[in-house]
Amino acid sequence: MSIDPKALIAAIGMRKRVLILTHNNPDPDALASACGLAAVIQHLTSCRVQVGYSGIIGRSENRALLRYLPIDPTPFSRIRGRQQLAYALVDTQPGAGNNVLPAGIIPMMVVDHHPPKVTTRLLLKQTPIVDIRTDYGACATIITEYLQELDVPISGSLATTLVYGITSETQSLGRDATKADLKAYNDLISLANLKNLSMIEFSRQPREYFRYVKRAVNNAFFYKNVIGTRLGEIGNPDMVAEMADFLLRHERMSWSIVTGLHQDKLLVSIRATNNRARAGRTIRRLVEVLGGTAGGHNLVAGGQLDCKGKSVEEISQLDRDLIMGFIRKVTNIDNVKVINPLVSAEIHDPWEK
């Protein structure tokens, strides 16, 4: 059995409330994993369980998912009595730099499918329950196995949430998916509400989305097999990853990179088409050297750099250095001369006034 119920109960101890935290700006895999783990804990204990997050849930599909979640996630800023809680982390790790676990708090449990980092390993050693499976395509798959092993009843809304978490994380089981992900999907799909799944996957887009698409295309560039764009300052951090997916649909490109500034954080997302691309390792080497945090898998990865206190000129230069460093790394060409605009007459600089 991959989860020991006695160990989980012991890790919670005498505490009556459990908070399951996702990474900031949670995606469907994180939300689904949190809801599934909540069902496990509620099945084993009488604790009050909440799902917490920080940031925003901005992508239209993710907002649509909120309507069908079995538990309403709560912004961390609204959580009270934080020192009396038992904390669990899903799809993230303590010290990863992408969650709001309070300083000095050791979680009672961590479930993730991303490789540990230098900044997380010491805290993970102090965590009572750690289940990190880097060979799984989705964290929701791990949680699904918990539910099945412990015979936890899976409602239609939970099955729908888990199915969408798995398929969105693996691009319909075509990106970084494993046999475990496929099995979980097959076991859950008959329990899911297919109409609701369709409503989530094909949710209608707000006007803002098309503005971001326009900006991404106008600013887009390519060099060899790399395509990318700089979005500049953005109000919706989810657009960085979404535009990285969007640009990689270009038929001749193998890599995409997109950057954007949100609340003093320079966000970067990269995507690849080659199953051996090691996108996560690539972005960690690129971003961590610059003082940021990053992580990911073979085909998808992301990171962030703290820009608080920096001038527009400094952020613009950092943005450019990040793009150029990425191009050099994945093309193995140090002397990158001409970067071409994708559709515009010239590459637009989002930082020019």
Side-chain angles (χ1 to χ4, degrees), residues 11 25 29 38 70 81 106 112 129 138 150 174 182 189 199 231 258 320:
N25 310 312
D29 187 32
I106 301 297
D112 196 11
I129 301 174
L150 298 174
L182 180 59
I189 192 64
M199 294 292 288
L231 296 176
V258 176
R320 177 177 171 79

Side-chain angles (χ1 to χ4, degrees), residues 223 320 324 327-328 331 333-339:
Y223 181 81
R320 177 177 171 79
M324 296 303 296
I327 292 174
R328 294 188 188 102
T331 62
I333 298 174
D334 291 330
N335 187 21
V336 178
K337 294 182 178 180
V338 179
I339 297 178

Side-chain angles (χ1 to χ4, degrees), residues 70-86:
I71 295 180
D72 292 329
T74 303
F76 187 69
S77 60
R78 299 180 187 174
I79 300 294
R80 299 292 178 260
R82 298 174 185 174
Q83 297 301 317
Q84 287 74 49
L85 298 172

Side-chain angles (χ1 to χ4, degrees), residues 299-338:
L299 301 177
V300 55
Q304 61 181 16
L305 291 156
D306 189 357
C307 293
K308 189 173 183 179
K310 294 185 182 296
S311 66
V312 172
E313 292 75 16
E314 289 173 323
I315 296 173
S316 175
Q317 187 61 51
L318 182 62
D319 195 7
R320 177 177 171 79
D321 291 344
L322 193 59
I323 295 288
M324 296 303 296
F326 175 76
I327 292 174
R328 294 188 188 102
K329 187 172 290 289
V330 301
T331 62
N332 291 316
I333 298 174
D334 291 330
N335 187 21
V336 178
K337 294 182 178 180
V338 179

Side-chain angles (χ1 to χ4, degrees), residues 90-278:
V90 293
D91 209 25
T92 183
Q93 299 171 27
N98 66 345
N99 61 66
V100 289
L101 181 69
I105 295 291
I106 301 297
M108 59 99 176
M109 185 177 192
V110 172
V111 184
D112 196 11
H113 67 132
H114 298 97
K117 307 175 186 179
V118 173
T119 57
T120 68
R121 287 176 183 145
L122 179 60
L123 295 172
L124 288 173
K125 287 181 179 179
Q126 301 174 60
T127 302
I129 301 174
V130 176
D131 190 354
I132 297 176
R133 308 184 197 179
T134 58
D135 56 335
Y136 277 45
C139 189
T141 298
I142 304 172
I143 300 298
T144 298
E145 292 184 3
Y146 291 175
L147 293 163
Q148 294 172 328
E149 291 169 1
L150 298 174
D151 293 323
V152 180
I154 302 176
S155 65
S157 62
L158 180 55
T160 302
T161 300
L162 289 166
V163 166
Y164 189 67
I166 293 169
T167 56
S168 66
E169 186 73 3
T170 62
Q171 282 196 342
S172 298
L173 299 171
R175 180 179 70 187
D176 287 331
T178 66
K179 290 182 179 179
D181 300 301
L182 180 59
K183 182 182 184 302
Y185 172 87
N186 287 333
D187 291 344
L188 292 166
I189 192 64
S190 62
L191 304 174
N193 186 313
L194 299 184
K195 181 179 179 181
N196 290 350
L197 273 175
S198 179
M199 294 292 288
I200 296 167
E201 186 173 358
F202 300 102
S203 59
R204 297 170 70 88
Q205 300 285 359
R207 186 178 184 183
E208 175 195 46
Y209 170 81
F210 298 97
R211 287 174 174 159
Y212 280 120
V213 170
K214 178 183 178 182
R215 188 192 303 182
V217 173
N218 284 343
N219 296 356
F221 57 83
F222 69 93
Y223 181 81
K224 302 293 184 181
N225 63 338
V226 179
I227 188 170
T229 193
R230 297 190 294 167
L231 296 176
E233 194 162 0
I234 55 176
N236 182 352
D238 286 351
M239 286 299 106
V240 176
E242 186 155 3
M243 292 303 106
D245 287 330
F246 174 72
L247 289 180
L248 196 59
R249 296 179 66 184
H250 192 296
E251 61 184 352
R252 296 184 179 180
M253 299 299 154
S254 303
W255 289 93
S256 69
I257 179 168
V258 176
T259 61
L261 183 73
H262 178 73
Q263 295 183 350
D264 293 327
K265 301 287 186 182
L266 184 61
L267 309 177
V268 55
S269 283
I270 66 174
R271 300 291 186 267
T273 59
N274 188 328
N275 286 325
R276 298 181 179 179
R278 296 183 178 180

